[in-house]
Amino acid sequence: LGECYGFVPALPLGGPARLDHLQRLDALTHFSFLADLGRCRLLVRPAAGAQETVLRTIGG
């Protein structure tokens, strides 16, 4: 409870989206950090290897 998995370094900072870069983190700290980096995009990727689609931008 109160934890999440996040990429380290964070993806907006150039971190790779690879499983070996996932770490268990404090959720409030991690999501606050990501919010401070700027607007987030909610994406959907229908299948492995498929092109991702932006559903909406979150934040301002």
Side-chain angles (χ1 to χ4, degrees):
L1 190 62
E3 295 181 322
C4 67
Y5 285 94
F7 290 101
V8 177
L11 298 181
L13 297 176
R18 296 189 347 227
L19 291 178
D20 61 332
H21 284 264
L22 277 178
Q23 292 184 17
R24 196 165 72 184
L25 306 165
D26 176 77
L28 181 58
T29 302
H30 182 61
F31 292 128
S32 294
F33 172 73
L34 291 178
D36 287 342
L37 292 177
R39 300 177 79 180
C40 297
R41 294 176 301 146
L42 180 62
L43 305 172
V44 64
R45 182 176 294 166
Q51 181 66 31
E52 59 195 23
T53 302
V54 178
L55 294 181
R56 68 182 175 127
T57 302
I58 303 167

